[in-house]
Amino acid sequence: MTKMTVTKMRELLKLYFITGSVNCKKNPDEVLEEAIRGGITLFQFREKGTGSLTRASREELAVKLMGICRRHRIPFIVNDDVDLAIRLGADGVHIGQDDERASEVRKKIGDKILGVSAHTLEEARLAIEAGANYLGVGPIFLTATKDDAKKPIGPGLVRELREKGYDIPIVGIGGITSANAAEVIAAGADGVSVISAISQAHEPALAASELLVGVSRVESKN
Ligand code: TZP
Ligand code: MG
């Protein structure tokens, strides 16, 4: 993948769908197809938590979902597993604060997209310094999806980063729905990332399109 521009990154973050098999009510490939039909702009493979697939079956699912993304020209990001991302030729990697250091990951993945989760201003600053293409800021609201999620921080950190002049692409995460997405954008985020709002929906395509309405309700401050 050629080096990601800031403008393109902002566009891709508009509606960022994250999922793994344990998050879905039906087959993850069906959910992803429907989510794409509903207008998602970026996808992250996050096979994590109790009952998640391991080894060959995990990699098989990753290959399948990446194939779907490729067919629809949706960039495919891998959560945590840098080696898997490199092996598959994924478009990028997303890491948290407990994963490999962002600067090390940047060295390994070259120009691939690097996303880093940030919960504080200092974490955000360090991620930018290490060469992140975007920040995942959160959890913004209460989430039932991540067992070890930190305390919700609300949209305040996104706002603070913008007020302090940080113009890195930002996506909000955690407890985001079509009802509160606009609040996250109004604070200065370029987009929202969701798991359950799409993966648990009876109609993932409809859920995605409703989220897009929420996101588009507010003109971003960027
Ligand atoms: N990181 C912070 S909150 C979260 C992750 C992966 C879970 C988001 O899931 P949901 O269902 O959109 O609240
Ligand atoms: Mg992680």
Side-chain angles (χ1 to χ4, degrees):
M1 155 166 261
T2 52
K3 199 166 193 292
M4 180 55 55
T5 66
V6 168
T7 308
K8 180 69 185 163
M9 193 70 244
R10 288 194 204 292
E11 285 169 20
L12 290 177
L13 292 179
K14 192 167 182 186
L15 181 54
Y16 187 0
F17 177 44
I18 304 172
T19 208
S21 61
V22 293
N23 306 120
C24 296
K25 286 192 181 210
K26 45 190 166 188
N27 282 340
D29 48 330
E30 278 176 52
V31 173
L32 177 57
E33 291 273 11
E34 290 182 36
I36 292 173
R37 200 148 43 75
I40 64 160
T41 49
L42 186 62
F43 177 70
Q44 182 188 123
F45 176 65
R46 182 176 179 276
E47 188 61 25
K48 234 175 157 166
T50 315
S52 58
L53 301 172
T54 57
R55 299 164 191 261
S57 49
R58 175 171 175 269
E59 190 145 339
E60 249 168 55
L61 179 60
V63 168
K64 196 178 203 179
L65 299 184
M66 190 170 100
I68 295 171
C69 285
R70 287 278 187 269
R71 275 202 296 285
H72 297 277
R73 301 192 186 291
I74 300 291
F76 179 86
I77 310 289
V78 174
N79 183 273
D80 288 357
D81 193 338
V82 180
D83 294 336
L84 178 66
I86 293 171
R87 203 157 60 238
L88 296 184
D91 299 294
V93 175
H94 185 95
I95 53 167
Q97 294 295 321
D98 301 329
D99 299 311
E100 216 176 320
R101 286 165 67 95
S103 52
E104 291 304 312
V105 176
R106 170 53 82 207
K107 279 187 213 151
K108 284 190 184 173
I109 66 171
D111 284 343
K112 286 187 194 296
I113 297 169
L114 175 60
V116 179
S117 300
H119 184 75
T120 65
L121 191 63
E122 182 61 3
E123 287 175 359
R125 206 184 55 69
L126 291 172
I128 295 167
E129 210 175 272
N133 292 101
Y134 74 88
L135 301 178
V137 173
I140 306 278
F141 305 111
L142 200 61
T143 176
T145 308
K146 185 174 153 80
D147 297 337
D148 58 348
K150 296 192 177 122
K151 220 171 92 235
I153 54 175
L157 178 58
V158 175
R159 196 173 302 114
E160 189 181 357
L161 284 162
R162 293 311 189 211
E163 282 168 2
K164 289 195 154 64
Y166 292 95
D167 65 353
I168 185 163
I170 293 178
V171 69
I173 186 163
I176 297 174
T177 66
S178 58
N180 60 24
E183 215 182 307
V184 184
I185 305 298
D190 298 288
V192 295
S193 49
V194 304
I195 301 181
S196 56
I198 293 179
S199 72
Q200 295 283 310
H202 288 292
E203 295 182 63
L206 180 65
S209 63
E210 285 172 353
L211 277 154
L212 275 177
V213 172
V215 167
S216 306
R217 205 175 288 149
V218 185
E219 268 305 302
S220 165
K221 287 179 182 158
N222 304 304

mmCIF file of all heavy atoms in Angstrom, residues 4 53 62-63 65 91 97 101 103 109 114 119 121 124 132 142 149 165 189 191 206:
data_model
loop_
_atom_site.group_PDB
_atom_site.id
_atom_site.type_symbol
_atom_site.label_atom_id
_atom_site.label_comp_id
_atom_site.label_asym_id
_atom_site.label_seq_id
_atom_site.Cartn_x
_atom_site.Cartn_y
_atom_site.Cartn_z
ATOM 1 N N MET A 4 -0.163 6.350 3.275
ATOM 2 C CA MET A 4 -1.479 6.924 3.523
ATOM 3 C C MET A 4 -1.389 8.442 3.751
ATOM 4 O O MET A 4 -0.574 8.881 4.545
ATOM 5 C CB MET A 4 -2.047 6.234 4.772
ATOM 6 C CG MET A 4 -3.405 6.655 5.219
ATOM 7 S SD MET A 4 -4.685 6.533 3.981
ATOM 8 C CE MET A 4 -4.595 4.829 3.472
ATOM 9 N N LEU A 53 -11.569 -17.633 18.085
ATOM 10 C CA LEU A 53 -10.840 -18.639 17.311
ATOM 11 C C LEU A 53 -9.344 -18.471 17.540
ATOM 12 O O LEU A 53 -8.875 -17.360 17.828
ATOM 13 C CB LEU A 53 -11.146 -18.482 15.822
ATOM 14 C CG LEU A 53 -12.611 -18.613 15.408
ATOM 15 C CD1 LEU A 53 -12.787 -18.239 13.936
ATOM 16 C CD2 LEU A 53 -13.111 -20.034 15.664
ATOM 17 N N ALA A 62 -9.548 -14.651 9.051
ATOM 18 C CA ALA A 62 -8.910 -13.395 8.640
ATOM 19 C C ALA A 62 -8.788 -13.322 7.114
ATOM 20 O O ALA A 62 -9.097 -12.307 6.497
ATOM 21 C CB ALA A 62 -7.533 -13.271 9.291
ATOM 22 N N VAL A 63 -8.365 -14.447 6.515
ATOM 23 C CA VAL A 63 -8.200 -14.497 5.059
ATOM 24 C C VAL A 63 -9.540 -14.270 4.366
ATOM 25 O O VAL A 63 -9.647 -13.499 3.396
ATOM 26 C CB VAL A 63 -7.576 -15.855 4.630
ATOM 27 C CG1 VAL A 63 -7.655 -16.063 3.126
ATOM 28 C CG2 VAL A 63 -6.131 -15.954 5.112
ATOM 29 N N LEU A 65 -12.256 -12.741 5.553
ATOM 30 C CA LEU A 65 -12.760 -11.373 5.722
ATOM 31 C C LEU A 65 -11.922 -10.383 4.899
ATOM 32 O O LEU A 65 -12.456 -9.413 4.347
ATOM 33 C CB LEU A 65 -12.783 -10.981 7.207
ATOM 34 C CG LEU A 65 -13.694 -11.847 8.096
ATOM 35 C CD1 LEU A 65 -13.710 -11.316 9.526
ATOM 36 C CD2 LEU A 65 -15.124 -11.925 7.559
ATOM 37 N N ASP A 91 -3.732 -4.151 5.124
ATOM 38 C CA ASP A 91 -3.446 -2.730 4.879
ATOM 39 C C ASP A 91 -2.913 -2.008 6.111
ATOM 40 O O ASP A 91 -2.421 -0.889 5.998
ATOM 41 C CB ASP A 91 -4.732 -2.045 4.387
ATOM 42 C CG ASP A 91 -5.202 -2.670 3.104
ATOM 43 O OD1 ASP A 91 -4.489 -2.547 2.099
ATOM 44 O OD2 ASP A 91 -6.261 -3.334 3.109
ATOM 45 N N GLN A 97 -2.246 0.124 24.134
ATOM 46 C CA GLN A 97 -1.128 0.523 24.992
ATOM 47 C C GLN A 97 -0.381 -0.670 25.580
ATOM 48 O O GLN A 97 0.744 -0.531 26.024
ATOM 49 C CB GLN A 97 -1.633 1.444 26.108
ATOM 50 C CG GLN A 97 -2.162 2.778 25.598
ATOM 51 C CD GLN A 97 -1.072 3.628 24.962
ATOM 52 O OE1 GLN A 97 0.048 3.669 25.454
ATOM 53 N NE2 GLN A 97 -1.389 4.321 23.869
ATOM 54 N N ARG A 101 5.484 -1.843 21.220
ATOM 55 C CA ARG A 101 5.628 -0.387 21.126
ATOM 56 C C ARG A 101 5.352 0.104 19.708
ATOM 57 O O ARG A 101 5.788 -0.504 18.725
ATOM 58 C CB ARG A 101 7.062 0.010 21.478
ATOM 59 C CG ARG A 101 7.378 -0.075 22.947
ATOM 60 C CD ARG A 101 8.870 -0.020 23.129
ATOM 61 N NE ARG A 101 9.394 1.291 22.754
ATOM 62 C CZ ARG A 101 9.611 2.268 23.622
ATOM 63 N NH1 ARG A 101 9.356 2.075 24.896
ATOM 64 N NH2 ARG A 101 10.084 3.425 23.226
ATOM 65 N N SER A 103 6.533 2.511 17.992
ATOM 66 C CA SER A 103 7.701 2.830 17.159
ATOM 67 C C SER A 103 8.308 1.561 16.550
ATOM 68 O O SER A 103 8.781 1.560 15.418
ATOM 69 C CB SER A 103 8.746 3.578 17.979
ATOM 70 O OG SER A 103 9.036 2.861 19.152
ATOM 71 N N ILE A 109 6.236 -2.497 9.852
ATOM 72 C CA ILE A 109 5.169 -2.484 8.834
ATOM 73 C C ILE A 109 5.396 -1.460 7.723
ATOM 74 O O ILE A 109 4.584 -1.364 6.794
ATOM 75 C CB ILE A 109 3.762 -2.281 9.456
ATOM 76 C CG1 ILE A 109 3.623 -0.884 10.089
ATOM 77 C CG2 ILE A 109 3.462 -3.380 10.458
ATOM 78 C CD1 ILE A 109 2.203 -0.551 10.523
ATOM 79 N N LEU A 114 -0.949 2.539 10.561
ATOM 80 C CA LEU A 114 -0.746 2.220 11.980
ATOM 81 C C LEU A 114 -1.734 3.026 12.824
ATOM 82 O O LEU A 114 -1.713 4.261 12.817
ATOM 83 C CB LEU A 114 0.698 2.545 12.414
ATOM 84 C CG LEU A 114 0.991 2.374 13.906
ATOM 85 C CD1 LEU A 114 0.740 0.936 14.375
ATOM 86 C CD2 LEU A 114 2.428 2.775 14.247
ATOM 87 N N HIS A 119 -5.903 6.830 25.557
ATOM 88 C CA HIS A 119 -6.883 7.065 26.619
ATOM 89 C C HIS A 119 -6.561 8.384 27.335
ATOM 90 O O HIS A 119 -7.378 8.921 28.064
ATOM 91 C CB HIS A 119 -6.766 5.867 27.568
ATOM 92 C CG HIS A 119 -7.724 5.830 28.696
ATOM 93 N ND1 HIS A 119 -9.046 5.497 28.513
ATOM 94 C CD2 HIS A 119 -7.564 6.065 30.014
ATOM 95 C CE1 HIS A 119 -9.653 5.533 29.683
ATOM 96 N NE2 HIS A 119 -8.782 5.874 30.614
ATOM 97 N N LEU A 121 -3.948 12.221 27.112
ATOM 98 C CA LEU A 121 -3.224 13.161 26.256
ATOM 99 C C LEU A 121 -1.786 12.685 26.025
ATOM 100 O O LEU A 121 -1.268 12.742 24.906
ATOM 101 C CB LEU A 121 -3.226 14.535 26.942
ATOM 102 C CG LEU A 121 -2.748 15.711 26.126
ATOM 103 C CD1 LEU A 121 -3.637 15.947 24.924
ATOM 104 C CD2 LEU A 121 -2.693 16.966 26.992
ATOM 105 N N ALA A 124 -1.619 9.854 23.614
ATOM 106 C CA ALA A 124 -1.855 10.382 22.263
ATOM 107 C C ALA A 124 -0.576 11.015 21.722
ATOM 108 O O ALA A 124 -0.159 10.755 20.590
ATOM 109 C CB ALA A 124 -2.995 11.400 22.298
ATOM 110 N N ALA A 132 2.067 7.102 14.395
ATOM 111 C CA ALA A 132 0.713 6.587 14.146
ATOM 112 C C ALA A 132 0.057 7.375 13.017
ATOM 113 O O ALA A 132 0.255 8.586 12.896
ATOM 114 C CB ALA A 132 -0.135 6.708 15.412
ATOM 115 N N LEU A 142 -19.787 4.100 27.809
ATOM 116 C CA LEU A 142 -19.744 2.778 28.445
ATOM 117 C C LEU A 142 -19.889 1.682 27.385
ATOM 118 O O LEU A 142 -20.751 1.781 26.520
ATOM 119 C CB LEU A 142 -20.902 2.703 29.448
ATOM 120 C CG LEU A 142 -20.805 1.658 30.542
ATOM 121 C CD1 LEU A 142 -19.572 1.924 31.417
ATOM 122 C CD2 LEU A 142 -22.067 1.682 31.384
ATOM 123 N N ALA A 149 -12.129 -2.993 29.400
ATOM 124 C CA ALA A 149 -12.187 -1.590 28.950
ATOM 125 C C ALA A 149 -11.949 -0.650 30.122
ATOM 126 O O ALA A 149 -12.379 -0.911 31.259
ATOM 127 C CB ALA A 149 -13.536 -1.297 28.306
ATOM 128 N N GLY A 165 -4.386 21.760 19.189
ATOM 129 C CA GLY A 165 -3.809 21.856 17.849
ATOM 130 C C GLY A 165 -3.341 20.550 17.223
ATOM 131 O O GLY A 165 -2.709 20.563 16.165
ATOM 132 N N ALA A 189 -13.712 14.520 16.239
ATOM 133 C CA ALA A 189 -13.265 13.249 15.648
ATOM 134 C C ALA A 189 -13.606 13.233 14.163
ATOM 135 O O ALA A 189 -14.559 13.866 13.729
ATOM 136 C CB ALA A 189 -13.936 12.071 16.349
ATOM 137 N N GLY A 191 -14.290 10.392 12.678
ATOM 138 C CA GLY A 191 -15.240 9.310 12.480
ATOM 139 C C GLY A 191 -15.461 8.537 13.757
ATOM 140 O O GLY A 191 -14.938 8.898 14.818
ATOM 141 N N LEU A 206 -28.538 -1.745 7.758
ATOM 142 C CA LEU A 206 -29.358 -0.623 8.216
ATOM 143 C C LEU A 206 -28.646 0.099 9.363
ATOM 144 O O LEU A 206 -28.595 1.338 9.404
ATOM 145 C CB LEU A 206 -30.726 -1.147 8.672
ATOM 146 C CG LEU A 206 -31.727 -0.116 9.181
ATOM 147 C CD1 LEU A 206 -32.112 0.829 8.051
ATOM 148 C CD2 LEU A 206 -32.972 -0.812 9.739
#
